[in-house]
Amino acid sequence: MDKSIIQLVDELPSDNITVKVLKALDYVAPGQWNNLVGFDNSIRAITGETNPQVIQQIRDRAVILYHEPQRGYQAAIKLYQTIDGADTAMATAALANKVGEKIGFLSFLSKITPKADVTQTIDLVLKVAVEIIAFSKLNGIPQPNPQEFVNTLTNNYKDASLMRMVALVCLDGVLPLGPDFLSKIQEVMSGTNTGAIAQNPLFSAINNFLPGSNPSDKVGFITQGFNSVQGWMNNLVSKTGVTPQSIFSHLGNFIQMADDNLDFVAAFLDQTTNYYEHTGIQTVARSLILQAHTLVKQEVQEQQSKPRAMKTDSDRYAEGTKVEAWDSDEEEWYEATVEQVKGNRYFIQYTGYDSSHNEWVEEDDIRIRDRNSSDDGEYRVGQKVKVWDEEEEEWYSATIGKIKGQQYFVHYIGYDSSYDEWVDEEEVC
């Protein structure tokens, strides 16, 4: 089962070789990239929201949006993951080729692996193609449009998206192929026939994503995509003066290699980093959070314009939504799917149970919870929970506002803040 967007963002590393490499490239695009990790933290950083309930609403809405196939969020993630996964295998081949060239008694390796320049060229142009396709999916463009992409790249790309393209130029262009990498790529592409490109493992990995009905059409799109971004790439190199040596210098804090082996460094980085997937997840998360935030704000405005109308989560808990429902007899949350909605009541099908258990539940007894990110049993800020009141001998719905150790500061839903209080973990479900 594919991981949820919540889990993908929560599992992003705060510090590994990929993060170090991206931070080292900050000198090319100063201050553009911040390694945002953790979904709730990303919501706060991107939207500026601090209210736990609003953050929870954005999170819940994002979960729903992510699973709507027409929006392209999952498809974009798949593209970023696929290109990085296939790239690792290609980098291994490129590294073996470089070893064969440099070390005499291993020269047989260079005879059985692709030439590194050819491998690197195909790697770069296919990453450009993937970027154009993912951009189109995230922006609701039915057919990938290289010109529309490069216009946005020139004028609006920033944050993780811009850093991904900067890393592409530096790590897949300048470092392995040299300052004249653009002319080298043109030379390789013009001297490589369609059949050779189509047989490349990286091409095969993303073949189904490429527009076109045959290999010739697909390679034509790849070439068109690269041609469209050449000007931007050339301008970036000219403006920043980036060179293989300057890149190597900034990477030198954690990679110890002689500077006459820059081609080894490039192949090594391709093999050990996943900057495309890492920044791709951050790009999708940003787009998803901004869209969810917009929708949540619209809902709040609509509710405010109708002060007498009872607040409802019917939009969030639409038919087909995966939820958790509270069973007051068992005093436990159970996974379920919303089958029908009537006002603030929801007819649900419990996961793993036959239809005889289907029932109507109130809004107070339903919530969206990302199971993947909280399977460890821990609670998080903004989560909707049930809190046991010993005096009343009753469960009350609440949201968690703060956490300290095994104590939780909760706000009771439907009550003003004077009732907010700290409760122990055993009182929360």
Side-chain angles (χ1 to χ4, degrees):
M1 181 182 294
D2 291 338
K3 294 181 179 180
S4 72
I5 187 60
I6 308 293
Q7 189 173 10
L8 287 170
V9 178
D10 283 348
E11 291 179 355
L12 283 174
S14 59
D15 186 31
N16 67 352
I17 190 168
T18 297
V19 174
K20 284 182 168 67
V21 168
L22 291 172
K23 286 182 177 179
L25 295 178
D26 182 75
Y27 82 102
V28 182
Q32 276 294 330
W33 181 69
N34 176 29
N35 187 36
L36 277 179
V37 298
F39 202 82
D40 287 357
N41 180 51
S42 297
I43 292 175
R44 286 188 285 269
I46 292 169
T47 68
E49 296 286 358
T50 57
N51 186 313
Q53 287 180 286
V54 175
I55 291 172
Q56 177 65 43
Q57 287 179 314
I58 294 171
R59 181 187 175 102
D60 290 347
R61 173 64 65 145
V63 169
I64 295 172
L65 291 174
Y66 183 68
H67 289 94
E68 293 180 359
Q70 70 272 21
R71 295 187 181 271
Y73 293 115
Q74 285 182 296
I77 290 288
K78 189 69 174 178
L79 276 162
Y80 293 130
Q81 291 176 325
T82 299
I83 196 71
D84 246 341
D87 182 40
T88 298
M90 294 299 291
T92 302
L95 190 59
N97 183 272
K98 288 299 181 184
V99 170
E101 291 176 353
K102 295 276 185 176
I103 304 174
F105 70 88
L106 294 179
S107 60
F108 71 92
L109 288 174
S110 63
K111 298 176 182 178
I112 62 174
T113 57
K115 289 294 293 181
D117 287 359
V118 174
T119 301
Q120 199 64 47
T121 290
I122 295 175
D123 181 31
L124 187 146
V125 297
L126 286 175
K127 282 181 178 175
V128 171
V130 162
E131 186 69 18
I132 294 171
I133 298 169
F135 164 81
S136 299
K137 289 186 177 296
L138 290 177
N139 289 277
I141 302 171
Q143 291 296 323
N145 187 322
Q147 191 55 53
E148 189 166 354
F149 164 73
V150 78
N151 290 340
T152 303
L153 172 63
T154 302
N155 300 312
N156 297 313
Y157 252 40
K158 58 182 180 179
D159 303 310
S161 296
L162 179 59
M163 180 52 72
R164 184 167 54 258
M165 290 301 293
V166 166
L168 175 63
V169 171
C170 293
L171 303 182
D172 293 291
V174 176
L175 191 60
L177 299 175
D180 59 344
F181 73 100
L182 291 173
S183 60
K184 283 187 178 180
I185 290 173
Q186 286 285 14
E187 182 181 348
V188 170
M189 291 299 289
S190 63
T192 307
N193 61 45
T194 297
I197 296 175
Q199 291 172 9
N200 183 280
L202 201 56
F203 179 95
S204 300
I206 66 167
N207 178 51
N208 291 335
F209 295 103
L210 295 168
S213 57
N214 55 62
S216 180
D217 290 345
K218 294 173 186 288
V219 172
F221 171 78
I222 293 167
T223 303
Q224 181 188 5
F226 172 71
N227 289 339
S228 71
V229 302
Q230 274 196 89
W232 180 86
M233 289 182 170
N234 186 59
N235 182 59
L236 177 70
V237 173
S238 300
K239 182 175 64 176
T240 61
V242 63
T243 64
Q245 288 71 28
S246 68
I247 297 171
F248 184 80
S249 174
H250 284 82
L251 293 173
N253 291 331
F254 61 98
I255 297 178
Q256 301 299 320
M257 285 189 178
D259 59 8
D260 63 344
N261 289 328
L262 292 179
D263 45 5
F264 276 100
V265 177
F268 167 74
L269 291 177
D270 258 354
Q271 194 179 28
T272 57
T273 63
N274 66 329
Y275 77 85
Y276 232 77
E277 178 183 8
H278 187 103
T279 60
I281 290 172
Q282 291 173 327
T283 291
V284 172
R286 175 175 288 273
S287 177
L288 191 57
I289 287 168
L290 288 173
Q291 177 66 18
H293 187 219
T294 297
L295 294 174
V296 167
K297 286 196 300 183
Q298 289 175 350
E299 291 171 2
V300 170
Q301 290 173 353
E302 290 172 1
Q303 291 169 359
Q304 290 175 343
S305 67
K306 299 177 181 179
R308 295 184 180 181
M310 182 177 294
K311 292 184 179 181
T312 174
D313 283 335
S314 59
D315 287 339
R316 291 197 292 136
Y317 303 139
E319 293 178 7
T321 302
K322 300 293 184 182
V323 297
E324 288 187 331
W326 175 254
D327 186 314
S328 56
D329 293 330
E330 298 291 335
E331 297 184 343
E332 184 61 82
W333 294 95
Y334 287 89
E335 291 183 69
T337 301
V338 175
E339 300 290 334
Q340 296 181 49
V341 180
K342 288 185 179 180
N344 293 330
R345 302 181 71 239
Y346 306 87
F347 190 68
I348 58 171
Q349 162 76 54
Y350 288 101
T351 303
Y353 294 84
D354 61 43
S355 59
S356 65
H357 292 85
N358 292 5
E359 63 177 337
W360 288 95
V361 298
E362 301 294 328
E363 178 184 322
D364 195 46
D365 292 329
I366 196 171
R367 71 180 182 185
I368 291 179
R369 179 181 177 189
D370 181 54
R371 301 291 299 179
N372 289 323
S373 65
S374 50
D375 283 343
D376 54 8
E378 295 180 356
Y379 299 101
R380 53 175 170 74
V381 172
Q383 184 174 330
K384 184 177 181 180
V385 294
K386 291 287 185 176
V387 179
W388 177 252
D389 187 310
E390 188 68 36
E391 293 183 2
E392 299 291 335
E393 294 188 347
E394 188 173 348
W395 291 97
Y396 287 89
S397 296
T399 55
I400 296 175
K402 299 178 184 178
I403 299 175
K404 286 185 179 180
Q406 294 183 318
Q407 287 197 316
Y408 304 89
F409 189 71
V410 297
H411 170 74
Y412 292 99
I413 298 173
Y415 295 82
D416 62 47
S417 59
S418 64
Y419 290 90
D420 293 0
E421 64 176 338
W422 287 95
V423 297
D424 295 326
E425 185 175 44
E426 58 266 24
E427 300 174 78
V428 178
C429 185

